[in-house]
Amino acid sequence: MASQTSAPEPAPMPSSEAETTEAASTYDQANMDVETKHTGPPGAPKQKSWLALHFSLLLRRDRQAQKAGQLFSGLLALNVVFLGGAFICSMIFNKVAVTLGDVWILLAALKVLSLLWLLYYTVGTTRKPHAVLYRDPHAGPVWVRGSLVLFGSCTVCLNVFRMGYDVSHIHCKSEVELIFPAIEIVFMIIQTWVLWKHCKDCVQVQTNFTRCGLMLTLATNLLMWVLAVTNDSMHREIEAELDALMEKFSGNGTNTCMCLNATVCEVFRKGFLMLYPFSTEYCLICCAVLFVMWKNVGRSLAAHSGAHPNRPPFRLHGAIFGPLLGLLALVAGVCVFVLFQIEASGPDIARQYFTLYYAFYVAVLPTMSLACLAGTAIHGLEERELDTLKNPTRSLDVVLLMGAALGQMGIAYFSIVAIVATQPHQLLNQLILAYSLLLILQHITQNLFIIEGLHRRPLWEPVISGVPEKQDIELPRRGSLRELGQDLRRASRAYIHSFSHLNWKRRMLKEISLFLILCNITLWMMPAFGIHPEFENGLEKDFYGYRTWFTIVNFGLPLGVFYRMHSVGGLVEVYLGA
């Protein structure tokens, strides 16, 4: 007969670690039951049953096969990235041997292969029996899928403008150049649709083939991002045409590759320059979504891994000053943005508009930094416990937050060196220097505030203090499980009701979070939809050279736009958790 006191049931594992742990714990519990039935003298060694040994061997083989599949698909992506990187570097350093057309041919082949796999995944893999038994509730949040559709649509428009620009110069361009933007349009439309529909899938069939397809598509998007960051041929072509147009008006024009319709070409040129950062942003978001899908292949989730039923909706809760100050910053930012865009539509931008643009940032950034410091101090005064449980979703949010902040911070540090080494006493240069220093400070303080808020236990997750921490407690009888669930629900409602009244600390956190949300939306809008003064003011471009500064700006600006979007998502979590 089994012994009266058995070991307590282990606590539920987090959803990210529930891949094989739940099955292993079930088999271990079964093994413990078998052992209690065949226990001999106290000194005799315990023998595992044949069934438990067989199940543990199957689990071990399954884990080894999963690791082997991840390793092989990762090596496939690594080799594809190295091959494409070698082509791109060869094009940069030797444009005679390896041309831009050769790189386009390689990327077109990769896009076609990825496109075939995306279609097969949708039509074949996901429709097999028991293909998608689980869906990760934390993967592909609304703001990620929304930004995927937004930036994908803008990138499709970018390629349309590119094709229109090439058609307007058809007399001096080859017709083959029209094929590559068309392939990219088809690839992006289908990829966006597949990622929107299947970003939460935990595929259980054809796992190795699915991992290889995901890594191939991820490598293709990564190479598209590298090419967009380093390729400045289109920008140089537009500038050369503008210079030739000015020489033609002065009577010295000799360039024969001119636009047939100046008005249409101006529309294509403005549209291409405005939407160019969206292509790099789209590739980064696709890489992040594809990586999460790759991690979810073969993953089994617990039944309790869904969204928490007590999670509150987004409400203002009487917050006044935060939304008012945020709306004031948003209106001022829109006015500055419109004025700068109107001025940028002309042949040259006056210095007073650069001064107005950077003065707005110099006024907003220190206010945001002070709000973040105040919020971090209030976090330290709170009585809420820290959430010490391992949470892969939160860990990924923190990594993306810290990594995306490197984009604008890198541009700021390069600007500081260029200004200090040249002319630091001019008014515009002093504003740019103050803007760069304040931008670095704001990124650091905002990261501290968001990360500190994400690690606080939300109020909708009650802490039941009546449960002892000892492991030798008696388990409840089977008949009392329904009573235990009712007690837990009553304790949860009582806990939330006791904290329903906003004290001054919670109210201040909500006010600060709303203010920072609106400010980050403003600072996201200005670089995402406008002409970029970091490249147009000419200071850093003259100091570092055209190609070097072009690569730095194209590397940093998409990360900066992604940082503002990701910060809004983190601040919403902090607001709800307060």
Side-chain angles (χ1 to χ4, degrees):
M1 183 175 179
S3 58
Q4 297 295 329
T5 59
S6 59
E9 185 178 354
M13 298 291 295
S15 61
S16 61
E17 295 181 349
E19 301 177 12
T20 56
T21 351
E22 294 181 0
S25 63
T26 304
Y27 299 141
D28 291 342
Q29 186 66 32
N31 186 25
M32 289 173 62
D33 295 339
V34 173
E35 287 177 357
T36 56
K37 293 181 180 180
H38 299 283
T39 303
K46 296 181 180 180
Q47 299 292 332
K48 290 186 176 181
S49 66
W50 173 87
L51 186 61
L53 289 174
H54 180 68
F55 282 148
S56 62
L57 181 61
L58 289 179
L59 283 176
R60 195 179 303 115
R61 287 179 179 175
D62 182 69
R63 285 193 291 265
Q64 289 176 352
Q66 183 176 0
K67 291 181 180 178
Q70 291 178 348
L71 178 62
F72 180 78
S73 58
L75 289 175
L76 173 65
L78 192 64
N79 282 276
V80 172
V81 170
F82 277 145
L83 176 63
F87 264 77
I88 294 173
C89 291
S90 301
M91 178 201 69
I92 293 174
F93 297 111
N94 192 345
K95 293 185 177 181
V96 178
V98 179
T99 62
L100 180 61
D102 298 329
V103 179
W104 279 349
I105 291 174
L106 175 64
L107 283 178
L110 294 176
K111 290 173 190 175
V112 171
L113 291 176
S114 301
L115 193 59
L116 292 176
W117 175 81
L118 288 170
L119 293 174
Y120 176 79
Y121 177 80
T122 305
V123 178
T125 303
T126 57
R127 295 189 178 182
K128 290 184 177 296
H130 310 292
V132 185
L133 298 176
Y134 310 96
R135 289 176 66 84
D136 186 2
H138 301 291
V142 176
W143 67 270
V144 171
R145 290 188 293 167
S147 59
L148 189 71
V149 173
L150 173 64
F151 291 126
S153 304
C154 293
T155 309
V156 170
C157 295
L158 168 69
N159 284 279
V160 171
F161 283 124
R162 177 64 187 263
M163 293 177 64
Y165 185 85
D166 290 337
V167 168
S168 61
H169 295 76
I170 195 65
H171 59 283
C172 57
K173 287 182 175 291
S174 62
E175 297 180 357
V176 181
E177 296 185 35
L178 299 176
I179 299 177
F180 301 110
I183 294 176
E184 188 166 345
I185 289 174
V186 176
F187 171 72
M188 288 183 174
I189 291 175
I190 296 180
Q191 178 179 247
T192 304
W193 176 71
V194 173
L195 294 184
W196 172 273
K197 188 177 180 182
H198 299 283
C199 60
K200 296 178 180 290
D201 290 356
C202 299
V203 182
Q204 307 296 323
V205 298
Q206 298 181 350
T207 54
N208 289 332
F209 184 67
T210 303
R211 288 190 185 101
C212 292
L214 287 170
M215 282 289 104
L216 176 65
T217 312
L218 189 149
T220 303
N221 283 276
L222 190 59
L223 289 175
M224 290 168 58
W225 176 76
V226 173
L227 181 63
V229 167
T230 57
N231 181 30
D232 62 343
S233 59
M234 185 68 177
H235 287 75
R236 284 187 176 275
E237 184 178 334
I238 289 175
E239 286 200 352
E241 183 176 356
L242 290 177
D243 294 340
L245 186 62
M246 297 302 295
E247 291 180 359
K248 182 179 180 180
F249 286 151
S250 61
N252 300 323
T254 57
N255 191 354
T256 58
C257 188
M258 297 293 293
C259 183
L260 300 177
N261 191 328
T263 305
V264 175
C265 284
E266 181 68 15
V267 173
F268 290 146
R269 182 179 73 86
K270 287 293 182 181
F272 181 85
L273 292 177
M274 182 178 295
L275 297 177
Y276 192 79
F278 285 96
S279 61
T280 52
E281 189 74 24
Y282 174 79
C283 295
L284 289 176
I285 297 175
C286 287
C287 288
V289 175
L290 289 166
F291 179 78
V292 173
M293 291 180 64
W294 179 74
K295 293 289 290 184
N296 281 335
V297 173
R299 181 182 174 191
S300 301
L301 298 180
H304 59 273
S305 62
H308 202 284
N310 292 327
R311 185 185 179 93
F314 188 89
R315 295 175 181 174
L316 290 180
H317 288 290
I320 299 175
F321 298 103
L324 285 179
L325 292 176
L327 286 175
L328 181 63
L330 179 62
V331 172
V334 169
C335 294
V336 173
F337 171 75
V338 171
L339 289 175
F340 191 84
Q341 286 299 110
I342 293 174
E343 179 66 17
S345 61
D348 196 10
I349 305 176
R351 293 180 66 87
Q352 61 264 26
Y353 289 95
F354 283 112
T355 303
L356 178 64
Y357 188 92
Y358 286 110
F360 169 76
Y361 274 90
V362 171
V364 171
L365 290 176
T367 309
M368 296 176 65
S369 301
L370 291 176
C372 293
L373 289 176
T376 306
I378 294 174
H379 276 313
L381 297 175
E382 274 193 309
E383 299 176 357
R384 279 190 295 158
E385 297 182 2
L386 292 175
D387 190 359
T388 57
L389 293 177
K390 185 177 181 182
N391 189 338
T393 303
R394 181 179 58 205
S395 301
L396 181 62
D397 288 340
V398 172
V399 170
L400 291 177
L401 199 67
M402 300 295 292
L406 299 178
Q408 287 281 6
M409 291 176 66
I411 295 178
Y413 277 116
F414 278 104
S415 297
I416 290 171
V417 174
I419 292 170
V420 172
T422 53
Q423 299 173 346
H425 301 295
Q426 295 184 2
L427 175 60
L428 179 59
N429 293 347
Q430 289 178 353
L431 281 175
I432 298 176
L433 180 61
Y435 156 78
S436 302
L437 293 173
L438 292 172
L439 188 68
I440 295 171
L441 178 63
Q442 194 272 328
H443 277 71
I444 295 174
T445 55
Q446 182 167 277
N447 285 349
L448 288 175
F449 174 68
I450 295 176
I451 294 172
E452 186 73 17
L454 291 178
H455 283 82
R456 296 284 173 173
R457 186 184 297 276
L459 291 178
W460 64 77
E461 294 182 3
V463 181
I464 303 174
S465 58
V467 179
E469 296 182 358
K470 294 182 180 180
Q471 297 297 324
D472 55 350
I473 58 175
E474 240 185 285
L475 291 177
R477 296 187 305 273
R478 291 179 182 269
S480 63
L481 288 178
R482 181 175 297 178
E483 298 177 1
L484 177 62
Q486 292 175 357
D487 293 339
L488 289 176
R489 284 193 294 270
R490 282 195 296 266
S492 175
R493 286 195 295 266
Y495 183 83
I496 295 175
H497 178 72
S498 63
F499 284 93
S500 61
H501 178 67
L502 286 177
N503 55 22
W504 70 270
K505 289 179 287 189
R506 292 180 59 201
R507 186 179 295 275
M508 285 297 297
L509 285 177
K510 289 185 177 293
E511 298 274 9
I512 291 172
S513 299
L514 286 174
F515 169 71
L516 292 175
I517 287 172
L518 292 173
C519 287
N520 278 278
I521 291 175
T522 305
L523 300 185
W524 167 81
M525 172 195 65
M526 297 178 73
F529 295 97
I531 302 297
H532 311 294
E534 294 89 351
F535 196 77
E536 298 293 333
N537 59 33
L539 174 66
E540 298 91 344
K541 183 167 60 175
D542 295 337
F543 184 81
Y544 292 105
Y546 187 94
R547 177 176 289 275
T548 303
W549 186 241
F550 177 86
T551 303
I552 293 171
V553 171
N554 275 357
F555 176 81
L557 277 180
L559 288 178
V561 174
F562 182 79
Y563 173 79
R564 295 300 174 187
M565 287 195 314
H566 195 64
S567 297
V568 170
L571 288 167
V572 170
E573 293 292 332
V574 174
Y575 177 84
L576 294 177

